[in-house]
Amino acid sequence: MKVKNGLSSSMEDYLREIYVLTQKNDEVRVTDIAQLLGISKPSVNRAMNTLKDQGYIEHEHYGTIKLTKAGAEAGKSVYDTYKIVYKFLTDVLEVRPSDAEEEAHLLEHDISKGTRKKLKKFMKKRK
């Protein structure tokens, strides 16, 4: 479990999923995240308490989950990295989409900001 900017890979996953859900829905609840990630509600609750303590979300018990500015930035960053890596794997390396999805989720946590910028620039040049 690598820790970057005070966030473990699993905490980054939660922020990414909350970010994605907020793009689709007005409200995000623990149940939504548990269903999406295929994990128990108590596990999600523990993670939400950690993210709340770190200032990434606002969440009242049994209430909706809202990203703070820092949470939205972190969630968007992880999601954007995933999209760039996925696109590179599928479009450039011609990795099967199912494999690229899994590998992009792994790489999104370990790629540096500098490498992400270069990869994004590379993908823009290919258009």
Side-chain angles (χ1 to χ4, degrees):
M1 184 183 306
K2 186 174 179 170
V3 176
K4 179 174 63 176
N5 298 328
L7 290 169
S8 66
S9 297
S10 62
M11 291 298 121
E12 285 185 338
D13 286 342
Y14 283 109
L15 287 173
R16 180 194 63 233
E17 297 307 335
I18 295 167
Y19 175 79
V20 170
L21 285 168
T22 59
Q23 302 307 301
K24 299 174 187 173
N25 306 316
D26 290 338
E27 294 185 347
V28 177
R29 297 190 174 275
V30 167
T31 304
D32 302 324
I33 299 166
Q35 288 175 341
L36 188 65
L37 296 175
I39 55 179
S40 71
K41 288 192 278 186
S43 293
V44 175
N45 270 318
R46 282 190 296 277
M48 294 307 102
N49 287 333
T50 299
L51 290 172
K52 182 178 176 182
D53 291 345
Q54 293 178 335
Y56 289 104
I57 66 165
E58 295 173 358
H59 179 235
E60 295 302 321
H61 199 59
Y62 294 113
T64 58
I65 298 164
K66 295 186 185 344
L67 292 168
T68 62
K69 183 178 179 188
E73 288 171 0
K76 182 179 184 331
S77 176
V78 176
Y79 182 63
D80 288 349
T81 301
Y82 166 80
K83 289 190 315 185
I84 293 164
V85 171
Y86 177 84
K87 189 149 184 64
F88 175 76
L89 292 172
T90 56
D91 293 1
V92 177
L93 301 182
E94 298 179 353
V95 173
R96 285 190 345 223
S98 60
D99 291 338
E101 185 176 325
E102 185 176 322
E103 291 167 2
H105 277 300
L106 294 170
L107 291 168
E108 73 189 5
H109 303 293
D110 293 323
I111 195 167
S112 70
K113 285 183 180 181
T115 301
R116 184 180 102 178
K117 276 184 174 179
K118 289 180 181 186
L119 190 55
K120 188 175 183 178
K121 186 176 178 181
F122 173 80
M123 293 305 291
K124 280 186 178 181
K125 284 183 184 179
R126 291 192 77 242
K127 288 183 180 180

